[in-house]
Amino acid sequence: NPTKGDVVGYDFIHNDGIPYDDQGHGSHCAGTIGAVGGNGVGVSGVNQRVSIMGVKFLSAEGSGTTEGAIQAIDYAVEHGAKVLSNSWGGPSDGNNNALQDSIKRAQDKGVLFIAAAGNDGKNNDDARQASYPAAFDNENIIAVAATDDKDGMAYFSNYGKVSTDVGAPGVNVYSLAPGNKYASMSGTSMACPHVAGAAALVWSKHPDWDWRKVKEVLMN
């Protein structure tokens, strides 16, 4: 139910209902999730018939706040999103409890939280160097490492025996760019939407499943 002109989502940077991608990262991730296939143009998303809610809390420079992230998560959950694709993160900034609580609120509403593991080549099991939110132990998180074209782990990808759940393509991924263009990008940011798209696709085939079952099937 739009209340602030927010038909397609919300922009917490400019506080309006137009989450325009002025950076390029969001369009690329969205294309991997759900670009229309079979039309002979560009790329094909993992889930070609999907509704995407654009929720923006990062600026054109790619920076934002933990507070903005929490607002974005709460907004998406309150407006009915079932799978959250989170190609963002960083080291702990001391406000992690509030961020972790917002992911728990998502879990309580039956929502899956897919998170990019991070691009520092570090072990997310070690809290001193981990990237959050991927390294949180919330049950509804699926943390995604990046793989290359040989199905090996990308050299830059964070990892973690406990904290990281699956791997997905994250090297030279071709997808959408603003202005009706296409681009290749690398990062766990590119891996994350592969899993988010797969989660939405699996869930659409089994609408009676809960987030636990969807996560279990993807991990198995």
Side-chain angles (χ1 to χ4, degrees), residues 38-85:
N39 59 359
V41 180
V43 298
S44 170
V46 175
N47 186 355
Q48 294 163 22
R49 292 182 63 187
V50 66
S51 298
I52 292 182
M53 181 191 302
V55 187
K56 176 182 174 71
F57 74 96
L58 296 171
S59 69
E61 293 73 43
S63 63
T65 65
T66 300
E67 181 185 19
I70 293 167
Q71 287 180 302
I73 293 165
D74 285 341
Y75 176 94
V77 171
E78 285 162 13
H79 288 77
K82 296 296 289 178
V83 178
L84 307 187
S85 190

Side-chain angles (χ1 to χ4, degrees), residues 52-181:
I52 292 182
M53 181 191 302
V55 187
K56 176 182 174 71
F57 74 96
L58 296 171
S59 69
E61 293 73 43
S63 63
T65 65
T66 300
E67 181 185 19
I70 293 167
Q71 287 180 302
I73 293 165
D74 285 341
Y75 176 94
V77 171
E78 285 162 13
H79 288 77
K82 296 296 289 178
V83 178
L84 307 187
S85 190
N86 298 274
S87 289
W88 56 274
S92 173
D93 68 353
N95 192 20
N96 266 357
N97 289 345
L99 179 56
Q100 189 164 19
D101 288 347
S102 71
I103 300 170
K104 179 64 168 67
R105 287 194 291 277
Q107 179 177 310
D108 293 342
K109 291 281 180 68
V111 176
L112 258 180
F113 190 97
I114 321 296
N119 304 325
D120 304 307
K122 292 182 175 175
N123 187 346
N124 276 352
D125 289 352
D126 182 348
R128 293 165 301 179
Q129 59 184 24
S131 179
Y132 296 92
F136 286 140
D137 59 2
N138 300 57
E139 293 179 273
N140 63 325
I141 292 177
I142 301 179
V144 187
T147 59
D148 59 23
D149 60 356
K150 296 180 177 61
D151 278 345
M153 182 119 72
Y155 72 90
F156 55 76
S157 182
N158 287 9
Y159 53 91
K161 191 172 286 188
V162 175
S163 58
T164 307
D165 301 302
V166 296
V171 178
N172 294 331
V173 175
Y174 196 60
S175 188
L176 312 186
N180 235 6
K181 297 186 178 74

